[in-house]
Amino acid sequence: MKFKALLLSNTLALALFAAPAYADLPKVLQNELAAEVKIYENLYQAHHGQKIFDYVDKNILKNIAQDDPMLYRLIESMTIAMVENSQKLVIKMDVQNAKSDVSKDGIAYALIPYQMTVDEMNFDGNMLAIKSNGKWTFSRFDTNNTKMLQAIKQIYPSLKLKDK
């Protein structure tokens, strides 16, 4: 009985003091990502549609739109309108439980669990954060969206992402 209690307390101690999943990123990138997530969350809550859209990875979006400027503009205008016109808009990203890495070609990325409320609708899932060209971008990572997965794999082939 004492052995089980000791084993349980040691296991609990290890779990409590374990590094967060995003510890795979260098400390400076962890701090950058945490700061950008906070800004992103605040922009949502302040209903800044264009500033939120500025965080979207435009390469992924252009790939999804497949050279259709109308589709690109539609996605852009819908995103901005949703952010600006929602009565209640809250996003909470759990950066402490993100799964992250730096690819072999030096691209930092993380899958960050999130919960979002838009008016009376609730969503959850993972946000893909990518640091490319010195800037963090955020894209909803939906494993059921094959166009998005194909675009990510085509643009960032070195990222180790599981699609299921």
Side-chain angles (χ1 to χ4, degrees), residues 21 29 43-44 62 85 120 128 133-134:
L29 290 175
L43 288 171
Y44 255 103
K62 286 176 185 173
N85 298 324
E120 299 304 315
L128 175 61
N133 299 322

Side-chain angles (χ1 to χ4, degrees), residues 28-160:
V28 68
L29 290 175
Q30 289 179 33
N31 292 339
E32 274 181 24
L33 179 57
E36 288 298 322
V37 163
K38 193 51 140 172
I39 291 167
Y40 190 71
E41 290 172 336
N42 289 337
L43 288 171
Y44 255 103
Q45 288 173 225
H47 299 268
H48 288 296
Q50 183 60 55
K51 290 181 181 179
I52 287 297
F53 190 75
D54 291 344
Y55 273 95
V56 172
D57 190 309
K58 304 306 186 287
N59 292 323
I60 294 172
L61 186 55
K62 286 176 185 173
N63 189 291
I64 290 169
Q66 297 288 326
D67 299 321
D68 182 349
M70 290 298 289
L71 179 57
Y72 181 94
R73 299 296 292 167
L74 178 64
I75 295 169
E76 177 183 22
S77 63
M78 286 176 59
T79 300
I80 292 169
M82 187 234 8
V83 172
E84 291 178 352
N85 298 324
S86 298
Q87 297 298 311
K88 180 180 180 186
L89 186 62
V90 178
I91 186 169
K92 182 66 186 145
M93 296 169 65
D94 186 3
V95 74
Q96 293 297 319
N97 287 307
K99 293 180 174 82
S100 64
D101 203 355
V102 177
S103 69
K104 62 184 177 207
D105 54 354
I107 297 172
Y109 64 98
L111 277 176
I112 307 170
Y114 77 92
Q115 293 180 325
M116 178 188 283
T117 301
V118 179
D119 294 329
E120 299 304 315
M121 298 178 293
N122 295 309
F123 305 93
D124 62 7
N126 287 300
M127 194 71 70
L128 175 61
I130 299 174
K131 186 170 185 185
S132 180
N133 299 322
K135 180 181 182 232
W136 283 100
T137 61
F138 299 105
S139 301
R140 217 170 41 84
F141 186 74
D142 182 354
T143 57
N144 295 316
N145 186 332
T146 55
K147 276 189 140 185
M148 176 182 281
L149 294 174
Q150 289 170 348
I152 293 167
K153 287 178 182 179
Q154 190 172 6
I155 297 162
Y156 301 106
S158 63
L159 303 189
K160 297 177 196 163

Side-chain angles (χ1 to χ4, degrees), residues 1-11:
M1 186 64 161
K2 285 184 181 183
F3 177 74
K4 282 185 179 179
L6 181 61
L7 183 62
L8 182 60
S9 67
N10 286 342
T11 303

